[in-house]
Amino acid sequence: MSAPPTAQQPPLVTPAAADGPAPNDQAMPGKRVRLAVDRPMRLDSGVEIGGFQIAYQTYGTLNADKSNAIFICHALTGDHFVVEKHPVTGKPGWWEMLVGPGKPVDTDRYFVICSNVLGGCLGSTGPKDIDPATGQPYGLSFPVVTIGDMVRAQKLLVEHLGIEKLFCVIGGSMGGMQVLQWAVAYPESVFAAVPIATAARHSAQNIAFHEVGRQAIMADPNWRGGNYLLEGTRPEAGLAVARMAAHITYLSEAALHRKFGRNLQDRKAVTYGFDADFQVESYLRYQGAAFVERFDANSYLYITRAMDYFDLAADAGGSLANAFRPGGSTTPVRFCLASFSSDWLFPTAESRAIVHALNAVAANVSFVEIETDKGHDAFLLDEPEFHQVIHGFLEGCAEHRGLSVRRRAR
């Protein structure tokens, strides 16, 4: 999505302090860097932002020629804590099944990077941070960001790390959107791309689900027009409902039936009231309550909006194939796409559309649909066939890239 022409305006500048945590993230572990300090970064909205902070983690060791770097792009409510205990929830890293020593994304072999997206709330600059012009949280005065803006910030981070070309960019859901954006915006900086359970643009149905979540947040009286931090409140009820609604879309009917069916929660009969009679109700309430402890409501608004605005073909005359033909030449990026048979949030048809566009320009692409009843969240779960596909693709790419052969992933 290209930036529209706008009148000249001073850039939005976040505090240009030395590398280190922002004032409201003092206890958060991990690495941080301030980017675009000397030259502000132009957002798709036309706003320029400088000196913003990006929080990130790295795993493994960068080799001498810096050719083994893999960038992981996280999903909507994810973060950069991929394979270690989460500092807020205490839970294991969100992709520990796929990433780690001897695993498909082998941290004994690859240098793995993951950053919290711009607009996020786990250390990267976003709406909860302090606007230096006012000394108060940005709230809704923070500029709207897009998937393209998130990837521009990631590119600056990769350059900061001294890496000219990434071996691979990989991610699922919104992370998959970022992977596609990387491949289209910076094809010479990416050797391989693995977009998982994603789409080239957000569907009307998915925009609708996001709007329900946003309205739940904004209808909470504690949202206070986005100024809840300044006024000492939090729209916890609204954010919890948004999470509950979204979480349903991450599962499948079969998974819900297998996990819960119509089983009652700690009772032998219905109560003829509005407590959580059913296990599935209790589960969703738990998910909502846990989510508000680690996520910012305004960040949820901003990041869902970024997904809604995503349309990879928009800058290519509406042709998805043309998006993969930079400068009239076929993209040099090697692609592996994966979808899941029971995913109705990002169904297989969305991945096939991307594959067809890549085939139309004779790009190097492979595709697999994994049979599973686990729904959209399958890419985060124990799916051996999926893990084997990632292992095999990376092995093939490593051979072409000249990286050393390794043992089989366990």
Side-chain angles (χ1 to χ4, degrees):
M1 184 181 294
S2 298
T6 59
Q8 281 293 105
Q9 52 187 319
L12 175 71
V13 180
T14 60
D19 291 2
N24 57 349
D25 289 311
Q26 291 289 346
M28 194 67 64
K31 301 177 175 69
R32 291 166 176 77
V33 62
R34 291 206 172 270
L35 301 170
V37 174
D38 297 324
R39 183 180 179 184
M41 186 182 81
R42 185 178 175 87
L43 304 179
D44 281 331
S45 65
V47 174
E48 291 187 335
I49 179 171
F52 58 84
Q53 178 170 273
I54 292 295
Y56 67 102
Q57 290 287 71
T58 63
Y59 311 91
T61 303
L62 189 62
N63 61 12
D65 60 1
K66 301 183 179 180
S67 63
N68 69 332
I70 293 180
F71 199 101
I72 291 177
C73 302
H74 71 70
L76 167 60
T77 61
D79 50 53
H80 50 302
F81 298 108
V82 180
V83 296
E84 77 256 48
K85 181 179 177 181
H86 196 280
V88 177
T89 67
K91 294 181 178 179
W94 57 269
W95 230 1
E96 284 195 348
M97 290 189 178
L98 190 76
V99 183
K103 295 182 180 179
V105 180
D106 188 353
T107 51
D108 285 341
R109 185 184 193 188
Y110 303 116
F111 179 64
V112 177
I113 312 159
C114 185
S115 66
N116 187 215
V117 296
L118 182 65
C121 54
L122 266 293
S124 290
T125 298
K128 76 170 187 173
D129 291 304
I130 300 299
D131 179 353
T134 64
Q136 298 174 349
Y138 282 108
L140 298 192
S141 69
F142 193 76
V144 170
V145 297
T146 66
I147 298 295
D149 297 329
M150 294 174 183
V151 170
R152 287 186 194 96
Q154 292 166 2
K155 181 65 162 59
L156 291 177
L157 171 61
V158 169
E159 291 173 353
H160 168 78
L161 295 174
I163 299 167
E164 293 184 5
K165 188 166 189 171
L166 292 165
F167 170 64
C168 182
V169 185
I170 182 172
S173 195
M174 187 186 85
M177 292 179 171
Q178 294 166 67
V179 172
L180 292 169
Q181 184 67 36
W182 261 102
V184 167
Y186 307 108
E188 300 300 329
S189 299
V190 178
F191 184 76
V194 186
I196 304 161
T198 194
R201 64 178 182 177
H202 224 201
S203 68
Q205 175 178 268
N206 289 352
I207 294 171
F209 276 116
H210 276 174
E211 177 62 4
V212 169
R214 287 190 293 263
Q215 288 299 320
I217 291 169
M218 293 187 285
D220 188 324
N222 285 329
W223 183 61
R224 306 292 175 88
N227 294 321
Y228 50 89
L229 292 176
L230 183 61
E231 299 190 21
T233 63
R234 293 182 67 204
E236 294 182 349
L239 182 58
V241 171
R243 175 62 170 178
M244 290 165 68
H247 198 76
I248 296 168
T249 71
Y250 305 152
L251 306 173
S252 68
E253 182 180 9
L256 284 168
H257 179 74
R258 173 168 42 80
K259 288 167 67 94
F260 307 111
R262 288 180 54 83
N263 296 329
L264 298 180
Q265 178 68 27
D266 299 327
R267 63 203 66 189
K268 295 182 179 180
V270 297
T271 62
Y272 295 98
F274 297 100
D275 287 336
D277 278 351
F278 296 97
Q279 287 181 2
V280 68
E281 293 177 303
S282 178
Y283 171 76
L284 288 174
R285 292 184 186 189
Y286 167 79
Q287 289 293 331
F291 185 62
V292 302
E293 296 302 317
R294 68 175 178 88
F295 217 83
D296 176 64
N298 281 341
S299 276
Y300 193 87
L301 302 183
Y302 276 78
I303 299 175
T304 56
R305 194 45 131 187
M307 293 181 71
D308 293 350
Y309 283 167
F310 184 65
D311 184 350
L312 203 62
D315 283 343
S319 168
L320 185 56
N322 285 343
F324 297 114
R325 195 184 281 121
S329 301
T330 298
T331 177
V333 181
R334 295 168 177 267
F335 287 85
C336 177
L337 284 90
S339 68
F340 300 92
S341 59
S342 57
D343 183 356
W344 57 276
L345 186 65
F346 289 96
T348 292
E350 300 282 12
S351 290
R352 288 192 188 279
I354 299 168
V355 173
H356 292 163
L358 287 164
N359 283 334
V361 299
N364 188 320
V365 56
S366 57
F367 166 68
V368 63
E369 179 188 41
I370 305 298
E371 288 291 331
T372 177
D373 72 351
K374 295 176 184 175
H376 181 63
D377 264 359
F379 79 95
L380 299 171
L381 304 175
D382 186 12
E383 287 289 346
E385 183 183 356
F386 168 59
H387 294 172
Q388 290 166 12
V389 167
I390 301 302
H391 167 255
F393 178 72
L394 292 179
E395 279 296 284
C397 289
E399 183 177 348
H400 283 282
R401 187 71 166 147
L403 297 178
S404 59
V405 178
R406 49 158 272 190
R407 65 189 183 277
R408 183 172 179 79
R410 60 176 181 262

